[in-house]
Amino acid sequence: MSQNPYSLLFGKEPQQTISRAAQMNEIIDSFQADIPSQQIYMITGVRGCGKTVFMTEIAKTLSQDDKWIIVELNSSQDLLSDLAAALASENHLAQLFQKSSINLSFFGIGLEVKGSVPITNIQVAITKMLESIKKNGKRVLICIDEVTSTDAMRAFASAYQIFVRQDLPLFLIMTGLFENINNLQNEKNLTFLYRAPKVELKPLNITTISNNYKKTFSLDAAAGLEMAKMTKGYSFAFQVLGYFTWKENGDYKAALPDYQQYLEDYVYEKIWSELSSGDRKLAYGIAKSETGKASEIKAELSIENNEYTPYRDRLIKRGIIDGSEHGHLKFILPLFEQYVLNNYY
Ligand SMILES: Nc1ncnc2c1ncn2[C@@H]1O[C@H](COP(=O)(O)OP(=O)(O)O)[C@@H](O)[C@H]1O
Ligand SMILES: [Mg+2]
């Protein structure tokens, strides 16, 4: 049997991808514009919806253009030092900095620069580097995956704010779970983050998923669509269902028990453990209700609006339920309803 084309790995670009062209182009176009309309985007969405893959694809697309220098940073490290080191370690940039007499020897990075005083402040050093990058018509994109509100991250964000105010060509994409992004945005000194656009990743296109399965497993249109609908467009589910169906030689019905268990063990358990008891109670009410109607859910749980509304909003923001149809709630994740019914007590 040949290699399984579907992947169970998180954070790694899969072989089978369903395009998110529309959401991706919005970011790429605004970064590429002569006068960029945005320099920062925050990508949120539930675990497994495809944030890391999405950010990686944008970075990959931009990196094909010589103008862009891509730097990946980690929010639990010293991001300013790491940024300076990453920039200085690119060969052509190191030469550029040397020509502009930027002496980084104090930080133990970069090339020797004779006759200019070493810079001792990291923020000043980065400003000089970015000025010289700007003069050469280049731009820097920083990618931070799974951001958390650490001291290092807050320090970096406040410096970033100043770089952008100085009109330096520094761009930023961050991914994170809703609550982590939210914590960072609510920092007093980081009001600029409050205005920064948040991109919530939408489910993958069901027609495209269905075409993918049809082709891989030689299914007819009805079967391909039925299989696609089982994933609800959830990225991780698309891979998991494809993976186990491949193992069952194209029999997706035989793959269902493994599909369900894998989703539960690798994602739902974790999501569930992060919910408060109020969140769980509302999730249970939704799972129990036949119609998903707000009135039915409230009656089922014997709760009033003041208990219903805040938990509803939290579950929507975390990307667990969809409230786009007025007065109705439904789960976004496939088979999550069964998980809730089996695990609520
Ligand atoms: N556009 C896509 N098309 C198909 N599969 C995807 C896509 N984006 C992500 N995936 C798959 O979904 C899973 C989760 O992706 P990942 O980017 O790690 O999610 P997150 O960072 O949101 O937790 C991985 O198995 C990945 O292969
Ligand atoms: Mg990720």
Side-chain angles (χ1 to χ4, degrees):
M1 197 165 75
S2 54
Q3 171 91 30
N4 196 322
Y6 297 94
S7 159
L8 301 176
L9 291 176
F10 270 71
K12 191 169 169 274
E13 259 203 283
Q15 197 189 324
Q16 303 289 322
T17 52
I18 305 298
S19 156
R20 290 198 200 260
Q23 283 189 303
M24 223 159 88
N25 289 338
E26 183 200 322
I27 298 181
I28 291 175
D29 291 348
S30 70
F31 280 4
Q32 285 281 38
D34 287 339
I35 299 166
S37 50
Q38 298 289 350
Q39 282 183 239
I40 176 169
Y41 279 94
M42 294 187 282
I43 318 294
T44 73
V46 69
R47 227 170 260 289
C49 73
K51 300 180 292 297
T52 304
V53 167
F54 182 76
M55 181 172 73
T56 308
E57 277 192 26
I58 292 174
K60 228 166 106 181
T61 306
L62 288 176
S63 75
Q64 282 156 9
D65 181 338
D66 284 347
K67 186 165 80 206
W68 286 93
I69 300 144
I70 316 287
V71 177
E72 277 179 47
L73 298 178
N74 182 327
S75 68
S76 62
Q77 314 260 327
D78 180 346
L79 294 99
L80 287 172
S81 301
D82 287 357
L83 172 60
L87 293 176
S89 71
E90 298 231 356
N91 248 329
H92 63 286
L93 291 185
Q95 284 161 18
L96 203 68
F97 300 152
Q98 195 185 29
K99 256 192 262 159
S100 324
S101 302
I102 302 174
N103 188 335
L104 301 167
S105 60
F106 177 81
F107 305 102
I109 52 178
L111 302 171
E112 182 91 28
V113 181
K114 293 213 173 70
S116 79
V117 187
I119 305 168
T120 56
N121 176 301
I122 193 76
Q123 212 163 313
V124 174
I126 293 172
T127 303
K128 298 250 189 242
M129 287 191 249
L130 290 172
E131 278 167 353
S132 130
I133 285 169
K134 183 179 178 180
K135 259 193 225 132
N136 275 267
K138 291 184 185 287
R139 294 177 176 182
V140 177
L141 170 64
I142 296 175
C143 297
I144 307 175
D145 199 20
E146 284 291 326
V147 78
T148 49
S149 185
T150 56
D151 286 345
M153 184 59 214
R154 289 191 292 271
F156 173 76
S158 71
Y160 175 86
Q161 185 169 15
I162 294 168
F163 298 140
V164 171
R165 214 181 285 146
Q166 290 169 332
D167 212 12
L168 295 170
L170 193 57
F171 296 72
L172 178 59
I173 304 181
M174 296 188 279
T175 78
L177 296 177
F178 167 75
E179 46 279 32
N180 290 334
I181 295 260
N182 208 43
N183 287 344
L184 192 64
Q185 277 188 311
N186 285 329
E187 289 293 331
K188 275 196 300 298
N189 308 323
L190 303 180
T191 44
F192 77 106
L193 281 183
Y194 218 86
R195 287 173 308 228
K198 260 199 269 192
V199 175
E200 280 171 36
L201 287 189
K202 296 202 196 83
L204 300 172
N205 183 289
I206 293 291
T207 310
T208 315
I209 292 182
S210 136
N211 288 335
N212 177 290
Y213 284 155
K214 251 168 44 190
K215 186 153 170 239
T216 309
F217 301 117
S218 312
L219 301 174
D220 64 30
L225 187 60
E226 186 184 46
M227 193 178 163
K229 281 184 176 165
M230 284 194 246
T231 69
K232 293 193 169 185
Y234 177 46
S235 296
F236 185 57
F238 163 69
Q239 298 292 340
V240 176
L241 185 57
Y243 184 90
F244 286 110
T245 300
W246 179 269
K247 284 185 90 175
E248 296 290 348
N249 302 310
D251 180 356
Y252 63 90
K253 291 194 172 123
L256 291 180
D258 281 334
Y259 169 61
Q260 177 160 12
Q261 188 185 340
Y262 211 86
L263 289 178
E264 294 191 354
D265 288 354
Y266 284 84
V267 190
Y268 297 170
E269 221 173 81
K270 184 88 178 117
I271 291 176
W272 190 244
S273 75
E274 288 164 343
L275 297 181
S276 71
S277 60
D279 294 333
R280 288 181 188 184
K281 184 173 170 185
L282 181 60
Y284 180 70
I286 299 168
K288 281 285 272 184
S289 85
E290 302 268 312
T291 59
K293 264 193 176 155
S295 53
E296 193 198 343
I297 297 166
K298 283 184 275 190
E300 170 72 43
L301 300 173
S302 324
I303 56 170
E304 300 293 328
N305 268 335
N306 61 350
E307 255 193 285
Y308 171 84
T309 312
Y311 293 112
R312 176 201 62 191
D313 291 350
R314 280 160 57 93
L315 290 177
I316 290 175
K317 281 181 186 144
R318 286 163 183 241
I320 294 170
I321 61 171
D322 174 1
S324 58
E325 189 190 341
H326 185 75
H328 279 80
L329 300 182
K330 55 180 190 239
F331 288 110
I332 287 176
L333 304 170
L335 301 175
F336 196 70
E337 186 172 302
Q338 280 88 327
Y339 183 85
V340 173
L341 290 173
N342 294 344
N343 290 279
Y344 182 79
Y345 31 72

